[in-house]
Amino acid sequence: ASLVAQQPAPGTIAGTITDPDGRAVPRVPVLAVHETTKAVYRAASSATGEYSISQLPAGSYLLTTQVLANSFRPFARAGVQITPGQAVKLDIRMEEGIALNTLGDGREFFQDVAKANLPKLVIPTGPTPRMQDGKPDFSGYWSAAGGSSDLGLPEFQDWAVALAIKRQADDLRDLPGSLCLPNGVVLAVNNGVAQRIVQAPGLLVMYSEGQLPRQIFLDGRGHPSDPNPTWRGHSVGRWDGDTLISDTIGFNDRPWLDWSGHSQTEKLHVVERFRRPDLGHLELEMRLEDAGALKAPWTIKRTYILDPK
């Protein structure tokens, strides 16, 4: 008789996410990362704050949530052990974010805005607009609200982790935007800031509230041999079919990469792939390499929705 090897039964991590007042927090993305294989397993809390991540191979996991820093502080729990077939209950009690839930600027405000705007969301339909040369025209006001995102899971070097922890303890008081300075290219995408894009022959310009304009040259030029480090870097684009590939170098080390307080360095290299599959959607894949701050490349994906109004 033959023996059939049985695979170990997978495990589960489940629980409830609540705010500092004990109320359920819905729609919070939760990630479980296998600390050996680096495989990522995802879920999101329900309307009642419950989440469940199943099909987890045995091992040790890092459990994190992805939330806006003005609502809650980042949550991370390392060393969550899963044995074959085990169900681990892990309730998450979020801590106040940097706004400390102050009137008009805390989590209640942002939740109310989201509820008010959701019924108004009407995604325009139609074919992809095109320039005179036949390439897609990315012009428009692009909102992250109503779109989708995959923020990836960056692996930061030890010094960057230590600095982020200090900045969180300081309530992110040195966030460049708080000092009326630019917030950087990556933070805007990571945090889902709406973007206005204006496209002309040979040039694409992007700007958003509180930011310096950004220009991506489409006229065939290359990067300068020794770029002067700036907040927005130097961007050049090329076409791969209907996909615009933007390559950016020449950053300074002052912007933050996220609202958790992680820094970039002058070694940052960003490659973005823009696609407009139809009238109402803009797809962006952003890949970051930074030998000074990251242990491995980091990819962020986001789909924006056209808001003609």
Side-chain angles (χ1 to χ4, degrees):
S2 62
L3 297 177
V4 179
Q6 293 184 348
Q7 295 293 328
T12 301
I13 301 176
T16 302
I17 302 178
T18 55
D19 67 15
D21 299 321
R23 296 173 296 184
V25 183
R27 298 183 297 277
V28 173
V30 187
L31 281 68
V33 183
H34 195 288
E35 295 182 335
T36 301
T37 66
K38 304 302 180 184
V40 180
Y41 303 84
R42 306 172 188 273
S45 59
S46 67
T48 57
E50 298 175 335
Y51 77 94
S52 178
I53 306 178
S54 58
Q55 301 300 312
L56 298 176
S60 179
Y61 286 83
L62 169 67
L63 191 77
T64 64
T65 61
Q66 294 181 330
V67 293
L68 289 178
N70 51 17
S71 298
F72 301 108
R73 292 185 181 273
F75 173 87
R77 178 75 56 83
V80 180
Q81 298 294 327
I82 295 292
T83 58
Q86 181 185 18
V88 172
K89 181 175 176 58
L90 200 163
D91 293 330
I92 300 174
R93 187 71 170 260
M94 305 301 293
E95 297 182 6
E96 293 287 6
I98 60 173
L100 300 179
N101 206 29
T102 51
L103 183 62
D105 194 33
R107 49 190 156 86
E108 301 290 349
F109 169 77
F110 289 100
Q111 289 170 1
D112 289 344
V113 169
K115 291 178 183 177
N117 288 337
L118 190 59
K120 301 177 183 178
L121 178 66
V122 178
I123 303 175
T125 59
T128 303
R130 295 185 178 271
M131 304 288 288
Q132 290 186 349
D133 63 0
K135 297 300 184 184
D137 183 357
F138 296 112
S139 298
Y141 183 91
W142 297 100
S143 171
S148 61
S149 64
D150 179 354
L151 303 183
L153 193 71
E155 294 184 73
F156 290 101
Q157 296 187 17
D158 293 345
W159 73 267
V161 173
L163 180 57
I165 292 174
K166 181 182 184 303
R167 286 171 169 170
Q168 293 170 31
D170 291 339
D171 292 328
L172 307 187
R173 65 185 181 191
D174 295 324
L175 179 72
S178 300
L179 305 174
C180 295
L181 296 171
N183 275 326
V185 170
V186 179
L187 182 63
V189 175
N190 195 27
N191 204 38
V193 177
Q195 301 281 338
R196 166 72 72 180
I197 296 179
V198 179
Q199 187 172 337
L203 183 67
L204 184 145
V205 178
M206 306 173 67
Y207 60 96
S208 58
E209 181 181 2
Q211 295 298 302
L212 292 173
R214 179 188 178 198
Q215 51 188 355
I216 302 176
F217 296 105
L218 308 178
D219 55 5
R221 75 180 68 187
H223 292 302
S225 58
D226 186 17
N228 179 39
T230 62
W231 290 88
R232 312 295 269 172
H234 186 271
S235 301
V236 296
R238 63 178 178 86
W239 292 97
D240 181 7
D242 282 348
T243 299
L244 175 62
I245 302 176
S246 171
D247 188 282
T248 308
I249 62 171
F251 292 101
N252 63 30
D253 60 359
R254 300 184 66 184
W256 294 10
L257 295 173
D258 56 28
W259 276 42
S260 295
H262 294 103
S263 277
Q264 66 186 49
T265 74
E266 293 187 2
K267 298 179 180 179
L268 177 64
H269 179 201
V270 176
V271 176
E272 297 156 286
R273 302 178 69 90
F274 295 89
R275 291 185 65 255
R276 189 173 187 176
D278 53 35
L279 175 63
H281 296 86
L282 177 68
E283 299 173 352
L284 170 61
E285 178 181 299
M286 172 183 278
R287 187 177 190 271
L288 291 72
E289 295 182 356
D290 189 337
L294 291 167
K295 292 182 178 180
W298 172 20
T299 299
I300 301 171
K301 298 179 182 179
R302 187 174 288 281
T303 297
Y304 296 85
I305 303 300
L306 180 68
D307 186 352
K309 300 181 180 180

